[in-house]
Amino acid sequence: MEEFKRLLKRLAEEDREFLRGVLLEAIGDSGAEELVETLLRSPRARARLAAELAAMITIPLNVATKDDIKALEAKMATKEDLQRFATKEDLERFATKEDIKRLEERMATKDDLKALETRMATKEDLERFATKEDIRRLENRMATKEQFESLAISVEEMAREFVEWFLKQRGIVCSAQRLLLDEEYEFDVYCAAGDVAVLGEAKVRCGPNDVERVVARVEEAVRRWPDKFPGRVAKVLYCQLAAPKAVEKARELGVWLIETRRELTPLQL
């Protein structure tokens, strides 16, 4: 702005020849030279003429240049840019802080995942499990429920037959049968003759616990139903295979232990 002011002052005060040339060229008449000289003698006229001339050729300072417009275009968003902006509807679809908080509450934490890992089976664990083929082979080797029931009945029948036979060898004749006292107390072998009764159970295999169980059950039955056992009662356990410790326990507790066709412990009456 200061530079522009200095230019106007120079035109008004010093460049008389420049103003004279401009006026003569504008008028285009050599006879007007005297008139131009008269005008330029007045400082006021020269200042007015310089001001008018400057107004015609000066670009307003507040007008943007082409470079200004180009720089502005580079900084302004285009129509395509504006189309890429999110709309109100787009923003409504964004997750809020409350949405994220609810999601965090439902998501598993590191501790949850660690606890789950300790409960989950690893590949090595699964490899130790039985496969379908393993189970099928085991089923082929295992007895069915019907086979077990048939075997149990067979063992019970054999137990009654051999108890009868061994008692007959001692001069005691009786008919061995099953005895049902109530839902809890049922005995596989019951043979009574006069004041003597033999009471007990039959097993495929027997161990010391089976011997103790027979003793406890027989003694409880005698205590609860004394009218059914008025005389002496012998405890008997028949099995097809007896463990060595079962023999020891039977001898200790006075149980008549029979293994298939032989007596392992004596009958105590």
Side-chain angles (χ1 to χ4, degrees), residues 104-116:
E104 289 177 345
E105 292 174 352
R106 294 170 56 192
M107 290 177 66
T109 64
K110 288 184 178 180
D111 294 336
D112 295 330
L113 295 177
K114 189 174 182 179
L116 181 61

Side-chain angles (χ1 to χ4, degrees), residues 156-219:
E156 291 174 8
E157 292 176 349
M158 291 179 63
R160 288 188 284 269
E161 290 178 1
F162 278 103
V163 166
E164 285 182 12
W165 188 82
F166 282 120
L167 288 174
K168 187 177 181 180
Q169 301 303 310
R170 292 174 170 80
I172 302 173
V173 179
C174 65
S175 176
Q177 57 188 339
R178 181 186 295 112
L179 177 64
L180 177 62
L181 298 175
D182 64 9
E183 294 181 353
E184 294 184 12
Y185 283 86
E186 178 181 358
F187 294 90
D188 302 324
V189 181
Y190 173 67
C191 192
D195 62 345
V196 175
V198 176
L199 186 65
E201 297 181 351
K203 298 286 184 181
V204 176
R205 295 171 178 267
C206 66
N209 292 337
D210 297 312
V211 176
E212 293 177 347
R213 182 174 181 274
V214 167
V215 172
R217 286 173 59 81
V218 170
E219 291 179 351

Side-chain angles (χ1 to χ4, degrees), residues 20 45 63 85 93 182 198 235:
R20 181 173 177 277
V63 176
F85 287 171
R93 291 199 295 270
D182 64 9
V198 176
K235 307 175 186 68

Side-chain angles (χ1 to χ4, degrees), residues 203 205-216 237 239 241-253 255 257:
K203 298 286 184 181
R205 295 171 178 267
C206 66
N209 292 337
D210 297 312
V211 176
E212 293 177 347
R213 182 174 181 274
V214 167
V215 172
L237 178 59
C239 66
L241 182 62
K245 291 187 178 181
V247 179
E248 296 176 7
K249 184 62 69 173
R251 186 174 290 110
E252 175 189 337
L253 299 178
V255 176
L257 182 59

Side-chain angles (χ1 to χ4, degrees), residues 162 166 238-239 242 256-265:
F162 278 103
F166 282 120
Y238 175 89
C239 66
W256 185 23
L257 182 59
I258 303 173
E259 183 185 61
T260 310
R261 299 180 181 182
R262 61 180 181 148
E263 299 173 86
L264 298 182
T265 58

Side-chain angles (χ1 to χ4, degrees), residues 72-83 85:
L72 182 62
E73 287 178 346
K75 293 166 63 177
M76 290 178 64
T78 64
K79 181 179 180 181
E80 290 73 15
D81 295 330
L82 294 176
Q83 289 176 347
F85 287 171

